[in-house]
Amino acid sequence: MRSVLKTLYIIEKTDKKNIFACLIVALCVIGMVVFANTQELGNPIKEKSGESLAVKVALNKFQIVDASEFGEGSDIYINIVKQYYTYPKQGMALKMERPKLYIETAIELTKLRKQAFDMDGYELVAENLPSKIENEMDSAYYNYLDENNLELSFGSLSFYPFLAFLISVVGSVWFVLISIYASNIMIEDFRHTSLIKGYPIAFTKYVLAKCMTSMGIVFIFIIELIVCSLPLIYFKGLGQASYPVAVFNGQVMIYPIYKYIAVSIVYMVVLAIFAILLSVILNLLLKNVYLTIFIQITLVVIPILFPGLIELLPFNPFNYVNFPSVLNGDSLNLATPVALNSNAGLVCLCISIALLMAIIKWFLSTGKLQKI
């Protein structure tokens, strides 16, 4: 087994596909670092200017339909006006670097939004304001800062916040990327079994060795995400590893950044194993790279196109392949809201991995490979 792993490692190390993939990952991450530094991602002044513009648009809707049933003095109109006038306070707090005042006004804003959800006419401005789950997460975040006397960061993203941001961006397409990368993992081996008959181990172990080698490349990708983000330390510093992040895990919770990053990396590893094993089975059945990719992407897209299936099949592992969306509580914004639990998602994916391994072992041990 060890000799096979060593041989496969030498082959994979010199494979142009792997070299190209590693270069692309490194260049993309470095590009994101440069972009984050030059565009000042995470700068609260820029973020709040965008939010205030959205509220202004919502306010204009009432001014345009001033003679409608809502009327100028409706509760929702007054609420939106109050929201609009909290932004100058926040802007002043940001410019004068008064974190306490900023947090107080942010908490006031989340309370106003919460009141607006139950008011008549809210549907008129719903698209211009944060959703209920977004507001709840903002409320939990700012109240946590207030209760624990933590200072708000006024600068753009430092290393730890950027790494969390980067992983959330990559995580949204991670399963699809690994599926494409591993789509041909066993194509030649299943087409021409004579290529590997010379190995002094069972074919089942050879398949395991191929999966382990592919996972080794995946770990290199993950390490690249971290290593290529290090230049940001020079520009913006490390930041606080324990700084809070609001997440949804069946309910709104606060994670320190290091925990959010750790949970995300665990998800990435588990999803990579799931994608590789699924590719093995599809390669075995279809012997076609394009069909393998098509089926995997279709399985990912189905819950997006038909969100009602998420509630109908809550243990479908493909509900959790976009784990940043799960941690953001995006499923609660669907036409039929569903509260997906990220811990349950990991359990579901691990059970799916065990089932895939059992299917692969059964299929190969029955000798069906030679009959196809």
Side-chain angles (χ1 to χ4, degrees):
M1 183 71 170
R2 183 178 298 177
S3 60
V4 174
L5 281 171
K6 185 177 179 181
T7 302
L8 290 175
Y9 170 73
I10 294 171
I11 294 172
E12 295 293 333
K13 185 175 66 172
T14 56
D15 190 331
K16 290 182 180 179
K17 181 188 78 171
N18 293 330
I19 295 172
F20 180 73
C22 288
L23 284 174
I24 288 296
V25 171
L27 290 173
C28 287
V29 176
I30 292 172
M32 286 287 287
V33 169
V34 173
F35 179 77
N37 185 49
T38 55
Q39 297 298 316
E40 296 188 341
L41 286 184
N43 188 319
I45 295 178
K46 289 187 175 183
E47 291 179 354
K48 288 301 170 184
S49 64
E51 286 184 19
S52 63
L53 179 61
V55 174
K56 186 175 182 179
V57 171
L59 192 59
N60 288 337
K61 289 183 178 181
F62 286 95
Q63 292 170 338
I64 292 171
V65 292
D66 189 45
S68 72
E69 59 181 306
F70 301 111
E72 184 181 21
S74 66
D75 291 339
I76 186 65
Y77 180 82
I78 294 171
N79 181 282
I80 298 299
V81 170
K82 289 180 178 178
Q83 287 189 45
Y84 182 70
Y85 281 109
T86 59
Y87 286 104
K89 295 180 185 177
Q90 288 190 315
M92 181 188 69
L94 288 171
K95 291 176 181 178
M96 298 180 66
E97 294 193 1
R98 295 179 59 185
K100 191 70 176 176
L101 176 61
Y102 179 86
I103 292 171
E104 289 174 357
T105 54
I107 292 173
E108 179 186 350
L109 185 59
T110 58
K111 290 178 179 178
L112 287 169
R113 289 172 179 167
K114 186 176 181 180
Q115 293 170 5
F117 294 139
D118 300 319
M119 291 181 177
D120 292 335
Y122 171 73
E123 65 279 358
L124 185 67
V125 295
E127 63 180 15
N128 302 110
L129 301 177
S131 64
K132 289 183 179 182
I133 183 60
E134 289 172 334
N135 187 64
E136 191 176 347
M137 292 176 76
D138 281 348
S139 177
Y141 169 71
Y142 288 117
N143 277 293
Y144 184 90
L145 291 176
D146 185 49
E147 292 166 4
N148 292 274
N149 294 317
L150 296 176
E151 287 195 5
L152 183 77
S153 174
F154 285 107
S156 54
L157 296 178
S158 51
F159 174 72
Y160 284 117
F162 172 78
L163 191 57
F165 165 76
L166 176 65
I167 288 177
S168 69
V169 171
V170 174
S172 61
V173 292
W174 178 253
F175 178 81
V176 173
L177 293 176
I178 299 301
S179 295
I180 294 172
Y181 168 75
S183 59
N184 66 340
I185 182 172
M186 300 297 298
I187 288 291
E188 292 303 319
D189 298 315
F190 285 145
R191 280 179 179 168
H192 310 289
T193 56
S194 59
L195 292 175
I196 47 82
K197 282 183 177 177
Y199 285 109
I201 61 170
F203 190 69
T204 305
K205 290 187 177 179
Y206 175 79
V207 173
L208 176 61
K210 288 277 286 188
C211 293
M212 291 173 66
T213 306
S214 295
M215 276 305 300
I217 303 297
V218 169
F219 279 116
I220 291 174
F221 293 156
I222 295 174
I223 291 170
E224 277 190 287
L225 295 179
I226 300 172
V227 172
C228 293
S229 300
L230 292 176
L232 202 63
I233 298 175
Y234 173 78
F235 295 109
K236 300 296 181 181
L238 272 171
Q240 299 180 39
S242 58
Y243 199 76
V245 177
V247 299
F248 183 79
N249 187 18
Q251 60 181 356
V252 175
M253 304 177 67
I254 296 294
Y255 284 178
I257 284 184
Y258 71 83
K259 183 175 179 179
Y260 178 86
I261 293 173
V263 169
S264 298
I265 290 176
V266 170
Y267 251 107
M268 292 171 77
V269 171
V270 172
L271 283 172
I273 297 172
F274 180 58
I276 290 170
L277 292 177
L278 186 57
S279 293
V280 170
I281 291 178
L282 292 175
N283 280 184
L284 174 60
L285 296 176
L286 305 172
K287 293 189 172 65
N288 186 289
V289 173
Y290 301 107
L291 280 176
T292 297
I293 296 173
F294 175 76
I295 290 177
Q296 287 180 309
I297 292 178
T298 300
L299 290 170
V300 173
V301 170
I302 285 175
I304 299 173
L305 296 179
F306 305 100
L309 291 175
I310 297 177
E311 185 179 26
L312 184 64
L313 302 169
F315 300 110
N316 177 7
F318 293 96
N319 294 341
Y320 302 94
V321 293
N322 186 350
F323 65 86
S325 177
V326 175
L327 290 170
N328 287 336
D330 290 344
S331 60
L332 291 172
N333 294 327
L334 298 173
T336 305
V338 182
L340 292 178
N341 187 301
S342 59
N343 290 343
L346 278 175
V347 173
C348 182
L349 286 167
C350 289
I351 292 173
S352 300
I353 287 171
L355 290 174
L356 290 178
M357 292 177 69
I359 291 170
I360 293 171
K361 184 175 181 180
W362 173 81
F363 203 92
L364 297 179
S365 64
T366 57
K368 292 182 180 291
L369 180 64
Q370 286 74 23
K371 297 178 183 179
I372 335 182

